[in-house]
Amino acid sequence: VRAGPKADLRKENLTGADLRHADLTKADLKRANLAGVNFMQTGLYEADLSEANLAGAVFRKPNYGRTNLEGATADAETVWPEGFDPVAAGVTFE
């Protein structure tokens, strides 16, 4: 799997991956399994995480401007940046 800007990771299974500090600007992660992924300080600007599984993922200090989370699913273990409203961003909870 090649991660990086504009990466095509649709439907990939990245369960538990450590993507700290990765640049996933404009990456396509639609419908990907991102359960338990560490997105700490990851560049997610304009990335598409729509319909992705975000259960247990960690989003601490990401650059997530314009990230598409519509239809993504998360759970109580998913860690969001302080002040971020995942429901307003289109995330549903299991």
Side-chain angles (χ1 to χ4, degrees), residues 5-69:
K6 298 184 182 181
D8 183 355
L9 301 169
R10 286 174 289 183
K11 300 181 183 178
E12 290 287 339
N13 183 356
L14 300 174
T15 301
D18 185 354
L19 298 177
R20 286 180 291 180
H21 306 286
D23 182 3
L24 294 175
T25 302
K26 297 184 180 182
D28 188 349
L29 294 150
K30 186 173 186 171
R31 296 187 189 145
N33 185 355
L34 306 173
V37 171
N38 186 347
F39 287 108
M40 187 169 175
Q41 297 182 337
T42 299
L44 292 169
Y45 187 77
E46 293 187 354
D48 185 358
L49 279 67
S50 61
E51 301 177 41
N53 175 9
L54 305 176
V58 177
F59 293 91
R60 286 204 177 119
K61 300 180 183 177
N63 174 4
Y64 60 89
R66 298 190 199 174
T67 301
N68 182 3
L69 295 168

